Amino acid sequence: MPFFKDLGGSSDKILGGPGGHEAYVTDKSFTVKTAANNGTKFTFDKTIGNDGKTSATAKAEFKHSSGVNFKKIQIGTDGKVAFEAEVAEAAKNTKIFVKIGTLKSAVNSIKDGKSECGALGFKFDNKDMAADGSVDILAMDAPLIKMSFAMKVPGVDGLTVGADAAYATSMDTWGPATPGAKDGMKGLQAKGATKPIDIIKAVAASYAGSDFDVTAVVAPAKTTLDVKYHQKLSGTTSVGAKVGIFDKGAVFTPTVTFGGSYALDKDTTVFTKVESSSSSVSLAFTQAINSSVSLTCATSVGVVDMNSSSFGASLE
């Protein structure tokens, strides 16, 4: 059963959307992966951006005999340290996880609520429902409480509905104390959202047929509607499309992305897409050079502004 964030994921894999395929790379990167005899895995990555700036990360992951799976212990040249661990089957069909991410500017550096930097949470899934939630005590406006779920609709084969919500309690806001405080004292206070539209980030409905799926996601606060479509035409060819409609003042402005993938053979796949928002055409391919090495290259050309073209490559 997919989680809420995975609804419409088949289209993202074709078009390179959030959490989707990484074929449409825009930087130059080099990744080395190795493993020790005890199962510990190491990943070293270096990236050169189009602006010439470089960054690198080193990551380790291993599973302890106690059952704790250390999924990420990572440090980067940008000063960010990330840690992620989980305990599988803490309860039936349930995982408990912890995520910690720190920056050089330390606590309260994450303002958008998209990235947990000190979260304790759970993931639950079975054949009919998937749900996850977390409490982030380090993010801006912490504690930040996040919840999402996706569930099959009883009696309707292939139909899944879900919702995503986040509540920033703002307990870490340092300002005027509660009404009635003496001498204008200041202190911690809760100023969290009070309107449902500020808490419910998105709702979605997804329908999966035998060889296609379509997903609609509505974000009430942002007044946006995204419709994603994916279809597998054959064993080697798939197509995907995304139509986004957002309220720009008094006008609803649509954006359209259309693309596809074609497997030339078992080792090589070609991707292409057209985006109206950037007026660009992109082409990419991934190739397994051997069982241990893969190469990804991508280019994007602006239809209106040819100077907006870009090129990216990744060797892993």
Side-chain angles (χ1 to χ4, degrees):
M1 181 70 195
F3 288 90
F4 179 86
K5 66 180 181 63
D6 299 321
L7 296 178
S10 297
S11 175
D12 289 334
K13 289 179 180 179
I14 299 296
L15 304 176
H21 202 281
E22 298 179 357
Y24 296 104
V25 293
T26 57
D27 300 322
K28 291 79 177 175
S29 65
F30 179 74
T31 303
V32 175
K33 297 181 179 180
T34 184
N37 292 331
N38 63 357
T40 302
K41 298 178 182 179
F42 301 93
T43 302
F44 303 93
D45 178 87
K46 183 173 183 178
T47 301
I48 303 174
N50 288 324
D51 56 2
K53 294 182 178 179
T54 62
S55 62
T57 60
K59 182 180 72 172
E61 53 184 302
F62 65 95
K63 189 171 184 179
H64 194 264
S65 58
S66 63
V68 179
N69 184 10
F70 293 90
K71 300 183 67 176
K72 180 189 292 185
I73 303 174
Q74 178 177 291
I75 185 170
T77 55
D78 58 356
K80 184 174 181 179
V81 178
F83 172 84
E84 182 177 345
E86 69 177 21
V87 178
E89 294 299 320
K92 187 177 181 180
N93 300 322
T94 304
K95 296 180 180 179
I96 293 178
F97 67 84
V98 59
K99 294 181 180 180
I100 300 175
T102 61
L103 299 170
K104 287 184 288 187
S105 51
V107 180
N108 285 343
S109 57
I110 296 179
K111 300 179 181 180
D112 58 12
K114 297 178 182 178
S115 303
E116 293 133 333
C117 62
L120 176 65
F122 75 93
K123 292 182 179 180
F124 168 86
D125 69 291
N126 58 24
K127 62 183 182 67
D128 297 316
M129 179 179 179
D132 63 294
S134 65
V135 178
D136 188 344
I137 61 173
L138 295 182
M140 182 67 74
D141 295 331
L144 177 63
I145 303 170
K146 301 170 71 174
M147 288 286 295
S148 71
F149 78 92
M151 62 178 293
K152 294 181 179 180
V153 177
V156 184
D157 292 341
L159 182 60
T160 301
V161 296
D164 180 39
Y167 180 72
T169 62
S170 298
M171 284 291 290
D172 66 350
T173 301
W174 189 261
T178 53
K182 296 180 180 180
D183 303 323
M185 295 175 62
K186 293 187 176 183
L188 295 177
Q189 54 186 315
K191 287 187 177 180
T194 57
K195 298 179 181 179
I197 195 173
D198 295 324
I199 299 174
I200 300 174
K201 301 303 180 183
V203 293
S206 181
Y207 180 80
S210 59
D211 59 358
F212 76 95
D213 60 84
V214 59
T215 302
V217 182
V218 178
K222 296 181 179 179
T223 60
T224 62
L225 167 64
D226 289 332
V227 179
K228 304 177 182 180
Y229 178 81
H230 167 264
Q231 183 165 10
K232 191 169 185 178
L233 301 179
S234 67
T236 59
T237 306
S238 295
V239 295
K242 177 181 176 180
V243 178
I245 302 175
F246 62 96
D247 184 3
K248 189 176 182 180
V251 180
F252 282 90
T253 306
T255 60
V256 179
T257 303
F258 176 79
S261 68
Y262 176 70
L264 298 175
D265 53 44
K266 65 182 182 64
D267 296 324
T268 309
T269 303
V270 177
F271 299 83
T272 185
K273 67 176 177 179
V274 179
E275 297 179 89
S276 67
S277 59
S278 58
S279 301
S280 64
V281 178
S282 300
L283 178 67
F285 78 88
T286 60
Q287 182 176 34
I289 298 175
N290 55 42
S291 59
S292 303
V293 181
S294 63
L295 173 67
T296 300
C297 291
T299 185
S300 177
V301 178
V303 177
V304 177
D305 181 9
M306 297 294 289
N307 293 324
S308 64
S309 60
S310 64
F311 173 80
S314 174
L315 184 65
E316 180 177 324

